[in-house]
Amino acid sequence: IFVLTDPRGDDHGDGTMKYPLSYYDLQPGDLDLVSLAAYAEADGTRFEATFASRVRPTGRRTIDIGGT
């Protein structure tokens, strides 16, 4: 249906998005989206996101809007 591409190294959004303050889980660059695609399937739509780096599993804990 579509493929959107995005430059590498711009995982900061509009400047207001922040990674969690706990650097044990995610660090700048971890969620650098480089493409987003949508494909028609028989029972719906499949979305595929490609990141610049492999997505690492995070710990299971709550992080508030302030990143703590």
Side-chain angles (χ1 to χ4, degrees), residues 20-53:
L21 295 177
S22 168
Y23 284 100
Y24 302 111
D25 291 331
L26 297 172
Q27 297 179 15
D30 283 350
L31 298 178
D32 188 7
L33 183 68
V34 293
S35 72
L36 179 65
Y39 302 96
E41 303 228 337
D43 57 349
T45 304
R46 176 173 54 95
F47 292 92
E48 183 177 294
T50 304
F51 294 89
S53 302

Side-chain angles (χ1 to χ4, degrees), residues 6 9-19 31-32:
D6 190 57
D10 69 340
D11 64 323
H12 48 76
D14 64 359
T16 61
M17 296 187 60
K18 298 186 186 298
Y19 278 90
L31 298 178
D32 188 7

